[in-house]
Structures are given as structure tokens and as C-alpha cells.
């Protein structure tokens, strides 16, 4: 007798695949009788064959309550945890129901094994939270170290630029000023030109004096004569 009518499809399988598999593996006859409730009849030569065939047709569902903040942990990245549990146990379905329940569907033994694995995985959630908290603290510490290191580098860079600026200003102060050099050169030229003019002036004056003196002497001589 099938207690949950929603499980009849799993018992039969897609295109009757599960029924065919049971018949071939255990050499039995399996019939699904419609009604209310639905019945599955298994006939075989031995009790062992019938019992083994019944185990593969006895589908059940089990609800496992979980906290809402644990859903991501239970499923894993891209549902990897659920896929691994399904592959290991042979359950046909694990789904989320009403955001706080996991529904596991499969043959009885597989469902019990899957439920045990899920419950064990849930117990590690507290450990996962503590590890995640510690990881966050470590990441934060590294970020603070990086910020402090960048600040130190900037401080050293500013100091270096300031020292270079002071060295340049000292070099400029130690050099002779271009304006004074030019002024001195111009003064020398002026003195030279003035000296030459004075010389020329003296020469001219000497010539005039000699001429004038000559004229005076001539005049005086003429008078004397």
C-alpha cells in the first residue's frame, strides 16, 4: 500500500523505468494497482526476492527542519552539497520547502542515510560561522596593515621631495646672481670707454694746447720781433 500518493510516480519511474529495473534485478513480477490508496503487488519465487524488490519500490519522504540562515550552508555553492549527498545515498530528490524545511524523497534506506548526512552537515554550521568570523577578522587586519603601509610610503615620499626642494634652493642661493655679474661687466665697459674718451680728450687738449701755445708763442714772438 502506497501511503503517499505523490510518490507513485517515483515508484513507477520515468516511462516505467524503476519497475523494469526491479523486475530485471530480482526476477519478480511487479504490478501497480490504481485505486484509493494505490497498491503495489510483488510476486516472486522466494521471500528474499520479494523483500529485496519491495525495498526498491518502497519510496518515502522525510522533512528535515533547518534554520533560514543555514540554507546556503546546507546546499553549498551551486547546490554542490545536495548533489553529493544524492549521489552517495541514491535518493531521488532533495528540495527546499517553505524556506525552512528540506524534503528528501527516495527509498526508505536511502532517505534515512541522506537525513543522517544532512543533520551531521547542519551541526558543522556553528563551526563554519566561527571560521568565517575569524577569516573576516584576519582580512580586516591585513587591510589595515596595507592602509598603514601606504600612509608610511606617502609620508616618506613627501619628505624626500621636500629635501630635494631645499637642496635646489640652496644651490640657487650659492650661485652668483646673473644681474650683478652683468652689472659689473657693464661697469667695466663703461670705465674702459670713459677712460678711452678721457684719453682722447686729453690728447685733443694737448694738441690744442700745443697749437694754442704755439700760436701764443708765435704771437709773442711777433710782438717781440
Amino acid at each position: 500500500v502506497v501511503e503517499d500518493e505523490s510518490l507513485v510516480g517515483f515508484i513507477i519511474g520515468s516511462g516505467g523505468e524503476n519497475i523494469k529495473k526491479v523486475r530485471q534485478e530480482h526476477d519478480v513480477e511487479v504490478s501497480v494497482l490504481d485505486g484509493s490508496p494505490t497498491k503495489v503487488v510483488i510476486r516472486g519465487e522466494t521471500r528474499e526476492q520479494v523483500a529485496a524488490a519491495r525495498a526498491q519500490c518502497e519510496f518515502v519522504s522525510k522533512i528535515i527542519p533547518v534554520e533560514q540562515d543555514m540554507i546556503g550552508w546546507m546546499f553549498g555553492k551551486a547546490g554542490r552539497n545536495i548533489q553529493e549527498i544524492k549521489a552517495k545515498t541514491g535518493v531521488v530528490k532533495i528540495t527546499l520547502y517553505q524556506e525552512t524545511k528540506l524534503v528528501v524523497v527516495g527509498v526508505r534506506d536511502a532517505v534515512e542515510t541522506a537525513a543522517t548526512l544532512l543533520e551531521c552537515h547542519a551541526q558543522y554550521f556553528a563551526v563554519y560561522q566561527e571560521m568565517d568570523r575569524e577569516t573576516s577578522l584576519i582580512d580586516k587586519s591585513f587591510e589595515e596593515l596595507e592602509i598603514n603601509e601606504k600612509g608610511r610610503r606617502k609620508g616618506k615620499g613627501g619628505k624626500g621631495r621636500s629635501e630635494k626642494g631645499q637642496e635646489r634652493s640652496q644651490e640657487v642661493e650659492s650661485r652668483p646672481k646673473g644681474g650683478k655679474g652683468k652689472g659689473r661687466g657693464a661697469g667695466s665697459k663703461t670705465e674702459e670707454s670713459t677712460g678711452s674718451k678721457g684719453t682722447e680728450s686729453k690728447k685733443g687738449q694737448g694738441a690744442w694746447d700745443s697749437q694754442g701755445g704755439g700760436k701764443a708763442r708765435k704771437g709773442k714772438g711777433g710782438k717781440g720781433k
Side-chain angles (χ1 to χ4, degrees), residues 106-126:
V107 297
R108 187 176 298 278
D109 290 343
V111 169
E112 293 300 328
T113 304
T116 301
L117 292 176
L118 287 168
E119 288 168 359
C120 290
H121 186 66
Q123 291 176 359
Y124 282 98
F125 181 65

Side-chain angles (χ1 to χ4, degrees), residues 175-189:
R175 293 175 185 171
K177 294 185 179 180
K180 290 182 178 179
K182 290 180 180 179
R184 289 172 185 172
S188 300
K189 290 179 182 179

Side-chain angles (χ1 to χ4, degrees), residues 93-210:
K93 188 179 181 181
I94 301 177
T95 57
L96 179 64
Y97 177 68
Q98 293 182 348
E99 298 184 356
T100 57
K101 298 174 183 177
L102 289 176
V103 180
V104 185
V105 178
V107 297
R108 187 176 298 278
D109 290 343
V111 169
E112 293 300 328
T113 304
T116 301
L117 292 176
L118 287 168
E119 288 168 359
C120 290
H121 186 66
Q123 291 176 359
Y124 282 98
F125 181 65
V127 178
Y128 163 76
Q129 283 184 315
E130 181 63 22
M131 291 176 63
D132 187 55
R133 188 183 68 82
E134 291 178 357
T135 302
S136 299
L137 290 174
I138 292 170
D139 292 341
K140 186 177 180 181
S141 298
F142 276 115
E143 289 176 0
E144 290 176 354
L145 287 172
E146 288 178 0
I147 292 170
N148 292 336
E149 184 63 24
K150 287 179 180 178
R152 289 174 185 172
R153 289 177 181 174
K154 287 181 179 179
K156 289 180 179 179
K159 186 177 179 181
R161 287 192 293 270
S162 177
E163 290 175 354
K164 288 180 180 179
Q166 290 178 0
E167 290 175 0
R168 290 177 181 173
S169 63
Q170 289 174 359
E171 289 177 1
V172 171
E173 289 176 359
S174 63
R175 293 175 185 171
K177 294 185 179 180
K180 290 182 178 179
K182 290 180 180 179
R184 289 172 185 172
S188 300
K189 290 179 182 179
T190 306
E191 289 172 2
E192 290 174 1
S193 60
T194 306
S196 61
K197 287 180 180 180
T199 306
E200 290 175 359
S201 161
K202 288 177 182 178
K203 288 180 180 179
Q205 187 178 356
W208 183 84
D209 288 344
S210 60

